[in-house]
Amino acid sequence: MEGDVTDKQEDSASVCEFDPITGNIPATKVEITVSCRDLLDQDTFSKSDPMCVLYTQGVESKQWREFGRTEVIDNTLNPDFVRKYILDYFFEEKQNLRFDIYDIDSKSPDLSKHQDFLGQAFCTLGEIVGSPASRLEKPLGGIPGKTCGTIILTAEELGNCRDCATMQFCAHKLDKKDFFGRSDPFMVFYRSNEDGTFTICHKTEVVKNTLNPVWQPFSIPVRALCNGDYDRSIKVEVYDWDRDGSHDFIGEFTTSFKELSRGQSQFNVYEVVNAKKKIKKRRYINSGTVTLLAFSVESEHTFLDYIKAGTQIHFTVAIDFTASNGNPSQSTSLHYMNPYQMNAYAMALKAVGEIIQDYDSDKMFPALGFGAKLPPDGRVSHEFPLNGNVDNPYCNGIEGILEAYHQSLKTVQLYGPTNFAPIINHVAQYAAAVQDGSQYFVLLIITDGVISDMAQTKEAIVNGAKLPMSIIIVGVGQAEFDAMVELDGDDIRISSRGKLAERDIVQFVPFRDYMDRTGNHVLSMARLAKDVLAEIPDQLISYMKSKGIKPHHTPTDCSPSAPGSPVAV
């Protein structure tokens, strides 16, 4: 199929090189279906013969590249194209798409020879996925003074991406490889590729000092195990672990997803064979056996499942207005209003916000500030609306937030202390009111990293981890950010008063890592947005799993104006 993205064959990795945390699993694939209505009629004696061409934009270069073409449908102004586009989908990237419609008058593949351009539409993949039922209608444009009709885009996640297999194995009488003790066995699983090569896809834990190990159950996406082809060979190698990494090969066997799916039976007892030993020793039978103890398959719910079922992502931004940022009228300040370029706060807000806004239906975002003295009485506030309207702190899109931010800098006085807890608790209050999976809250805190209420903030995060919310912290300036790294909790799960956070809900990135040496330009807005947002899908899924919420149980009416939704955040 033209336009399909085939999985690139991955090189076989050695046992020592494989890291199960970063093991390469194919991306979620989304199938885009295109229809048009009321196209321009450019043919004199018949209707147009339309074809759609999809262009994608490079993340870094911003150049449009042709991705694929639909078939040509003769003589219609309302085509429903059969040929699909299959795209890798990444929540954390802004994937810009352009759809051009042509009336095809010749067999030449050169589009410049088809003079009848019927119109075009621009959108992001997130926009399609985030639309109700993942169906987006847009007017076609590109021809001045003419109504070009409508394009209808629908997205569907490919089914074989979502099955997850859970299995457990044991072994019996494996070869003894260690001189002073028994072996320390582990297994390595490989999926076969169409060219006959193998790609590593799972490695079990090591069971120490035994020839009869029982390994822990493990789960693996079916697409990682066999690319959805149930008959494709799966090779399993058994090794004796050595501290220096020169693991001793015990033997191997092959199976398939189809065989494994029979579960525990005589069909799933495998002889572990070492081919070299078999050649050398005439009486050699095997190097032990491996038995499948349990096997099950579940359909894993994905981020897209929840979005398609109606889950709305509510995005709240909070900006640090404390005095440690410096006087906004001076060029050394992180809040300096340079008429020729955005400051670090504005750049971070724009990069991250442009991704999130595709998933918010009304594009109205609460924008708050903290740590400033407010007019007229100079009281210090740790949660004030940037637009000055306590009853309605919503701003229209990212541009609306930027405008309110600039206005605030002219009216408030930067002060302190830097307290995060009030803002986190503020959003948590609304998240606590809607725990049915219909809404998920993302709080973006942009700060210089100096924090005054660490203990209270940790408590707020531990409490927030039970709720449908995530926190993104973008650090601007040259501070050490040690406290922010601690809040991130990637290395050590955050705790408060002896209670561990149920989930990791905080993602921290230092903005300076994405700047050039002058500190005036972002080297890559795309990389910043990607690194900031990459954890949100898994965090949302972890919340849904913890509450046992399945996508089809999500209420259909979950727009911000629905009953029970927060009026203001």
Side-chain angles (χ1 to χ4, degrees):
M1 182 190 291
E2 206 169 25
D4 282 15
V5 180
T6 55
D7 286 330
K8 291 179 182 173
Q9 307 299 348
E10 300 163 47
D11 294 332
S12 291
S14 74
V15 176
C16 307
E17 290 169 345
F18 179 63
D19 178 359
I21 303 302
T22 59
N24 190 17
I25 294 175
T28 296
K29 291 189 182 298
V30 173
E31 186 181 78
I32 303 295
T33 302
V34 182
S35 297
C36 297
R37 295 294 178 264
D38 303 315
L39 291 175
L40 285 172
D41 193 356
Q42 300 285 45
D43 291 352
T44 309
F45 299 108
S46 65
K47 295 186 175 72
S48 296
D49 305 321
M51 175 182 78
C52 179
V53 184
L54 170 62
Y55 295 86
T56 57
Q57 196 175 45
V59 173
E60 303 293 344
S61 69
K62 298 299 179 190
Q63 287 187 327
W64 290 105
R65 295 192 188 93
E66 183 179 327
F67 181 85
R69 304 179 183 190
T70 65
E71 75 279 19
V72 179
I73 300 183
D74 291 339
N75 204 25
T76 180
L77 304 182
N78 301 295
D80 295 308
F81 297 104
V82 175
R83 192 172 293 163
K84 322 285 188 190
Y85 300 116
I86 297 175
L87 294 158
D88 286 331
Y89 169 76
F90 303 96
F91 165 76
E92 65 272 16
E93 290 182 17
K94 184 169 187 174
Q95 294 172 266
N96 291 318
L97 308 176
R98 185 181 103 209
F99 296 86
D100 286 8
I101 311 296
Y102 287 89
D103 175 22
I104 302 302
D105 294 324
S106 77
K107 292 186 178 178
S108 170
D110 186 353
L111 290 172
S112 64
K113 294 188 176 165
H114 302 284
Q115 297 303 320
D116 293 339
F117 173 67
L118 300 180
Q120 65 184 182
F122 297 82
C123 67
T124 67
L125 185 53
E127 230 179 315
I128 306 172
V129 169
S131 297
S134 296
R135 183 181 187 275
L136 178 68
E137 283 194 37
K138 294 202 88 160
L140 289 163
I143 304 177
K146 290 200 175 182
T147 303
C148 300
T150 304
I151 190 167
I152 303 160
L153 305 164
T154 54
E156 186 171 352
E157 188 176 11
L158 294 182
N160 66 359
C161 292
R162 62 183 65 205
D163 284 352
C164 190
T166 301
M167 59 193 87
Q168 185 180 20
F169 292 88
C170 68
H172 183 61
K173 290 187 177 177
L174 293 176
D175 280 356
K176 181 175 178 293
K177 290 287 182 180
D178 290 348
F179 191 72
F180 294 108
R182 297 184 180 90
S183 296
D184 305 316
F186 68 95
M187 294 196 295
V188 184
F189 289 71
Y190 298 85
R191 71 166 180 264
S192 61
N193 301 315
E194 288 177 4
D195 62 357
T197 60
F198 286 88
T199 298
I200 192 167
C201 59
H202 182 74
K203 186 166 69 174
T204 68
E205 81 280 9
V206 176
V207 182
K208 291 289 188 74
N209 200 30
T210 179
L211 303 180
N212 302 294
V214 178
W215 288 283
Q216 291 293 320
F218 66 89
S219 297
I220 182 169
V222 172
R223 59 191 158 88
L225 194 62
C226 63
N227 280 343
D229 179 353
Y230 293 173
D231 292 309
R232 189 172 291 195
S233 287
I234 297 166
K235 181 172 73 171
V236 184
E237 295 177 343
V238 186
Y239 287 88
D240 169 33
W241 177 84
D242 282 331
R243 189 177 299 278
D244 63 3
S246 60
H247 312 304
D248 298 319
F249 179 67
I250 294 174
E252 67 182 29
F253 62 92
T254 59
T255 182
S256 67
F257 182 88
K258 192 173 183 180
E259 288 294 314
L260 293 172
S261 63
R262 294 183 178 190
Q264 187 179 17
S265 68
Q266 74 269 26
F267 300 108
N268 278 312
V269 179
Y270 299 95
E271 289 192 77
V272 178
V273 175
N274 186 325
K276 288 182 180 176
K277 262 192 172 184
K278 195 172 185 180
I279 293 168
K280 285 180 185 175
K281 297 184 178 180
R282 195 182 304 172
R283 294 185 178 180
Y284 175 84
I285 299 172
N286 61 47
S287 296
T289 59
V290 168
T291 301
L292 177 70
L293 293 176
F295 184 89
S296 62
V297 179
E298 278 190 4
S299 187
E300 284 278 283
H301 296 302
T302 67
F303 176 72
L304 290 193
D305 289 335
Y306 290 102
I307 296 298
K308 286 179 76 170
T311 297
Q312 279 288 311
I313 296 182
H314 294 293
F315 174 53
T316 301
V317 63
I319 294 178
D320 182 343
F321 280 81
T322 53
S324 55
N325 286 281
N327 187 333
S329 63
Q330 296 176 354
S331 61
T332 52
S333 171
L334 296 169
H335 282 302
Y336 178 57
M337 300 311 300
N338 186 328
Y340 303 107
Q341 65 189 40
M342 290 191 291
N343 63 30
Y345 276 88
M347 282 193 280
L349 175 62
K350 187 172 174 65
V352 178
E354 282 187 347
I355 305 293
I356 290 272
Q357 70 177 358
D358 281 342
Y359 297 88
D360 196 298
S361 61
D362 63 359
K363 310 288 188 284
M364 297 294 289
F365 303 112
L368 309 172
F370 59 93
K373 279 187 172 182
L374 306 187
D377 55 359
R379 70 181 175 86
V380 177
S381 174
H382 297 293
E383 44 177 302
F384 63 89
L386 294 189
N387 65 4
N389 188 338
V390 177
D391 296 323
N392 184 12
Y394 288 90
C395 298
N396 190 356
I398 302 308
E399 294 307 317
I401 298 177
L402 287 168
E403 191 179 326
Y405 161 61
H406 293 151
Q407 282 301 117
S408 284
L409 282 175
K410 296 172 185 173
T411 56
V412 305
Q413 179 191 344
L414 271 57
Y415 202 67
T418 310
N419 292 348
F420 284 11
I423 285 279
I424 296 171
N425 289 331
H426 185 98
V427 174
Q429 175 188 341
Y430 291 102
V434 196
Q435 297 189 51
D436 60 359
S438 65
Q439 299 176 44
Y440 194 86
F441 296 80
V442 178
L443 170 61
L444 170 63
I445 300 174
I446 309 178
T447 177
D448 69 354
V450 180
I451 183 169
S452 312
D453 65 339
M454 191 66 170
Q456 293 92 329
T457 295
K458 282 185 176 180
E459 186 172 6
I461 291 169
V462 169
N463 292 334
K466 302 171 189 169
L467 302 172
M469 66 181 289
S470 291
I471 302 164
I472 299 165
I473 303 173
V474 176
V476 295
Q478 299 304 314
E480 283 304 307
F481 294 128
D482 290 350
M484 301 299 102
V485 172
E486 189 178 341
L487 292 179
D488 190 315
D490 278 348
D491 298 322
I492 302 171
R493 181 67 62 88
I494 202 165
S495 63
S496 172
R497 301 187 187 186
K499 276 169 46 181
L500 277 175
E502 287 182 12
R503 303 183 297 127
D504 174 17
I505 64 168
V506 180
Q507 170 72 349
F508 167 72
V509 296
F511 193 71
R512 60 168 175 250
D513 288 359
Y514 304 84
M515 305 289 284
D516 64 8
R517 287 183 182 176
T518 66
N520 293 329
H521 299 285
V522 178
L523 289 170
S524 171
M525 282 278 207
R527 192 167 66 88
L528 169 67
K530 181 176 180 178
D531 290 355
V532 166
L533 297 169
E535 292 185 14
I536 297 292
D538 284 344
Q539 289 176 1
L540 182 146
I541 290 165
S542 73
Y543 170 76
M544 300 297 186
K545 273 187 175 176
S546 72
K547 300 294 182 185
I549 297 170
K550 291 185 166 46
H552 52 272
H553 292 151
T554 309
T556 52
D557 184 9
C558 50
S559 63
S561 59
S565 297
V567 174
V569 176

